[in-house]
C-alpha cells in the first residue's frame, strides 16, 4: 500500500528564494524580512492552527518535516520562525486535548499575529521552573511583567510575546504566571551580534510593565517541575521543533559534502573525490548519522501526535532527542567541512556558515547537563 504523501506549504521555488538570501543576512547581521513575508504569504505561520480556527491543521510531525526543509535552505530563518511555531503548536496540542485556555493564541495566529517566545533569562538554569522576572497581579486576574528576557527570536517583528514571571505577592505561595503580552510596555535591546544564527535577530527584550490581561493568562503554576499538560505541550513542541531545525542543517551538510566530493579532483589520482575510499567513508558516515537523526525527530513527533504512552519517560525522550540531534548535526557539519577541503574554510562558503549556525544548538534548552540529569532520574530514580 502506498504511503500518503506528507502535506507541505513550502514549495521548492519559495525555499530557493530563501536560500539565496541567507548569505547576505548572515554577513550583514540583518533580519530576513522578505523571508518572513514569503512564509506569511504561504500560510506557514498558520500551519499548526487547527482548520476549524482558520489554519492548515498540520500535525507536529508534518510541522517538523517542514522545518527540516526550511532549515536546510536557511537555518537562521527556520530557527527564528520556529519560536512562533512552538508557541502555536503548544496551543494546538492543548486544543486537541480539549483545553481551550490557550485558544486565543490560535485565533491570534490565524489573524496574522506573530508570536515570539520570551522565557529565557540570563543565569536562570531552572528555565521554565522558576523566573527572575517579576509578575505583578493587576487585581483583575491579569499580570504586569518586569524583567529582561534573552534570546527573543523575531525581535524586530513579533506582535505577541508568550512569557512568564514569578508572583511573590503571597510569600507562602509563590506562583509562576504564564501569559501573552503585546509590545506595549516592552523594549528591544540591539544586542544580537553572534557567531552564527545571526539572522534570527534574537535580541533581548526588557519587560517594563508589559500587561497580560486575565484572558491572556493561560497558566498559574507553582515553581518547580510539574505534571501540568501545559508543561508537556510546551516541552514537546519546543524540543521536537528545535531538533527538526538541526536535523535540517545536517541534511544540507550532507548535500554539500556530496557536491564537494563530486566537484573536487585529486591531483594524485586524477579522479574526483567521490571515488576516494576515505572521502566516501566520511560522506557515508555523515549520511548515516543524518538519516538516524531525521527519522528520530519524525518518529517522536508522531508519538506526540498519537499520544503514545511513554509514561514517566516522556521528558527524558524529549530532552534526549534535542541533545542527540544537535550533537549529531555538529558532527555531520564537521564531516562536510573536512570533505570540502580548504575551500570550506573560506568565510563565504555555505558549509562555513552551517558550521557557525549549528553551534547555537548547544545553548537551547535543554542543555547537556539538564538533559543528562532528567534522563538519569528517569532510569535511576531521583537522588536521595
Amino acid at each position: 500500500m502506498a504511503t500518503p504523501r506528507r502535506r507541505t506549504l513550502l514549495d521548492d521555488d519559495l525555499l530557493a528564494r530563501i536560500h539565496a538570501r541567507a548569505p547576505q543576512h548572515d554577513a550583514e547581521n540583518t533580519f530576513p524580512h522578505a523571508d518572513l513575508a514569503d512564509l506569511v504569504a504561504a500560510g506557514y505561520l498558520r500551519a499548526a492552527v487547527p482548520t476549524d480556527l482558520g489554519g492548515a491543521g498540520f500535525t507536529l510531525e508534518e510541522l517538523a518535516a517542514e522545518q527540516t526543509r526550511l532549515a536546510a535552505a536557511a537555518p537562521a530563518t527556520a530557527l527564528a520562525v520556529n519560536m512562533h511555531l512552538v508557541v502555536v503548536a503548544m496551543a494546538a496540542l492543548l486544543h486537541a486535548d480539549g483545553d481551550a485556555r490557550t485558544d486565543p493564541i490560535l485565533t491570534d495566529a490565524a489573524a496574522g499575529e506573530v508570536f515570539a517566545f520570551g522565557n529565557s533569562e540570563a543565569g536562570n538554569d531552572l528555565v521554565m521552573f522558576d523566573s527572575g522576572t517579576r509578575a505583578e497581579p493587576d487585581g483583575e486576574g491579569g499580570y504586569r511583567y518586569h524583567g529582561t528576557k534573552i534570546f527573543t527570536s523575531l525581535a524586530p517583528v513579533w506582535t505577541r510575546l508568550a512569557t512568564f514571571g514569578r508572583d511573590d505577592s503571597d510569600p507562602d505561595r509563590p506562583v509562576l504566571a504564564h501569559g501573552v503580552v503585546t509590545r506595549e510596555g516592552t523594549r528591544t535591546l540591539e544586542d544580537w551580534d553572534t557567531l552564527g544564527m545571526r539572522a534570527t535577530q534574537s535580541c533581548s527584550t526588557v519587560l517594563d510593565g508589559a500587561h497580560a490581561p486575565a484572558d491572556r493568562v493561560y497558566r498559574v503554576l507553582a515553581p518547580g517541575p510539574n505534571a501540568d499538560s501545559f508543561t508537556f505541550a510546551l516541552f514537546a513542541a519546543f524540543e521536537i521543533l528545535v531538533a527538526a531545525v538541526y536535523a535540517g542543517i545536517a541534511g544540507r551538510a550532507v548535500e554539500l559534502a556530496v557536491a564537494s566530493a563530486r566537484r573536487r579532483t585529486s591531483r594524485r589520482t586524477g579522479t574526483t573525490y567521490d571515488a576516494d575510499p576515505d572521502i566516501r567513508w566520511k560522506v557515508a558516515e555523515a549520511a548515516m548519522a543524518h538519516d538516524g537523526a531525521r527519522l528520530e525527530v519524525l518518529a517522536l513527533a508522531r508519538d506526540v501526535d498519537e499520544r503514545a504512552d511513554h509514561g514517566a519517560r516522556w521528558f527524558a525522550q524529549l530532552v534526549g532527542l534535542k541533545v542527540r540531534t544537535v550533537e549529531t548535526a555538529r558532527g555531520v557539519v564537521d564531516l562536510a567541512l573536512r570533505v570540502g577541503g580548504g575551500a570550506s574554510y573560506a568565510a563565504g562558503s555555505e558549509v562555513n556558515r552551517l558550521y557557525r549556525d549549528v553551534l547555537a544548538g548547544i545553548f537551547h534548552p535543554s542543555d547537556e547537563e539538564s538533559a543528562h540529569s532528567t534522563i538519569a532520574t528517569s532510569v535511576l530514580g531521583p537522588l536521595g
Side-chain angles (χ1 to χ4, degrees):
M1 181 180 294
T3 301
R5 185 173 180 178
R6 188 179 285 117
R7 293 182 295 169
T8 182
L9 293 170
L10 307 177
D11 63 44
D12 291 343
D13 288 343
L14 183 153
L15 292 175
R17 293 196 301 273
I18 288 175
H19 178 71
R21 298 172 190 137
Q24 182 176 356
H25 290 300
D26 174 68
E28 297 178 354
N29 193 27
T30 53
F31 184 80
H33 290 280
D35 291 0
L36 182 65
D38 278 349
L39 293 171
V40 168
Y44 194 54
L45 272 64
R46 303 192 306 273
V49 177
T51 54
D52 61 317
L53 294 179
F58 271 36
T59 65
L60 190 58
E61 182 187 359
E62 289 175 315
L63 204 57
E66 290 285 73
Q67 279 297 87
T68 63
R69 298 175 63 236
L70 182 57
T77 295
L79 186 62
V81 76
N82 206 61
M83 301 311 163
H84 169 91
L85 298 176
V86 164
V87 176
V88 179
M90 171 200 73
L93 288 171
L94 292 170
H95 177 84
D97 287 340
D99 186 338
R101 282 174 285 183
T102 53
D103 278 7
I105 290 174
L106 300 173
T107 54
D108 278 356
E113 304 294 348
V114 178
F115 281 85
F117 198 51
N119 286 341
S120 296
E121 298 166 346
N124 181 11
D125 58 354
L126 290 171
V127 194
M128 296 300 301
F129 298 141
D130 206 349
S131 177
T133 295
R134 190 169 77 255
E136 297 180 345
D138 66 2
E140 298 178 348
Y143 283 90
R144 294 191 180 277
Y145 297 95
H146 299 267
T148 299
K149 302 293 185 177
I150 61 173
F151 297 141
T152 315
S153 300
L154 297 171
V157 297
W158 64 261
T159 61
R160 299 287 186 272
L161 184 71
T163 191
F164 80 118
R166 181 177 172 122
D167 172 13
D168 286 311
S169 57
D170 181 349
D172 295 325
R173 187 179 172 273
V175 294
L176 301 176
H178 297 265
V180 172
V181 302
T182 65
R183 280 201 176 261
E184 185 177 356
T186 74
R187 179 163 48 93
T188 298
L189 304 181
E190 300 296 331
D191 58 356
W192 191 250
D193 188 8
T194 52
L195 179 67
M197 292 294 190
R198 289 161 62 80
T200 65
Q201 289 302 292
S202 304
C203 303
S204 300
T205 300
V206 178
L207 303 174
D208 188 15
H211 185 227
D215 63 350
R216 291 298 190 271
V217 176
Y218 46 80
R219 281 300 190 279
V220 178
L221 302 170
N226 61 76
D228 193 273
S229 58
F230 156 75
T231 305
F232 172 76
L234 176 58
F235 267 82
F238 186 89
E239 301 290 58
I240 287 172
L241 292 179
V242 164
V245 168
Y246 290 90
I249 293 174
R252 178 57 182 164
V254 172
E255 293 176 350
L256 293 174
V258 169
S260 293
R262 289 173 173 167
R263 182 181 64 250
R264 297 176 64 214
T265 300
S266 167
R267 187 176 181 85
R268 177 174 58 84
T269 65
T271 60
T272 51
Y273 276 102
D274 57 354
D276 182 291
D278 293 328
I279 296 297
R280 291 179 69 86
W281 186 92
K282 285 184 172 65
V283 173
E285 183 78 1
M288 183 163 51
H290 165 249
D291 283 344
R294 180 179 178 276
L295 291 171
E296 186 180 2
V297 168
L298 297 178
L300 197 60
R302 189 181 313 123
D303 277 0
V304 173
D305 290 331
E306 296 175 353
R307 304 303 191 266
D309 184 11
H310 289 294
R313 298 216 64 232
W314 254 119
F315 285 96
Q317 298 281 7
L318 293 166
V319 300
L321 171 73
K322 180 265 171 181
V323 170
R324 285 191 301 274
T325 306
V326 167
E327 293 305 317
T328 295
R330 291 178 65 199
V332 170
V333 174
D334 184 78
L335 284 167
L337 194 79
R338 294 170 187 269
V339 170
S344 299
Y345 199 56
S349 78
E350 184 175 354
V351 74
N352 177 296
R353 174 162 49 84
L354 297 187
Y355 192 76
R356 291 181 289 104
D357 283 348
V358 78
L359 292 178
I362 65 178
F363 300 105
H364 306 307
S366 291
D367 61 23
E368 249 189 342
E369 295 83 1
S370 174
H372 279 78
S373 175
T374 297
I375 294 168
T377 298
S378 78
V379 294
L380 295 170
L383 283 171

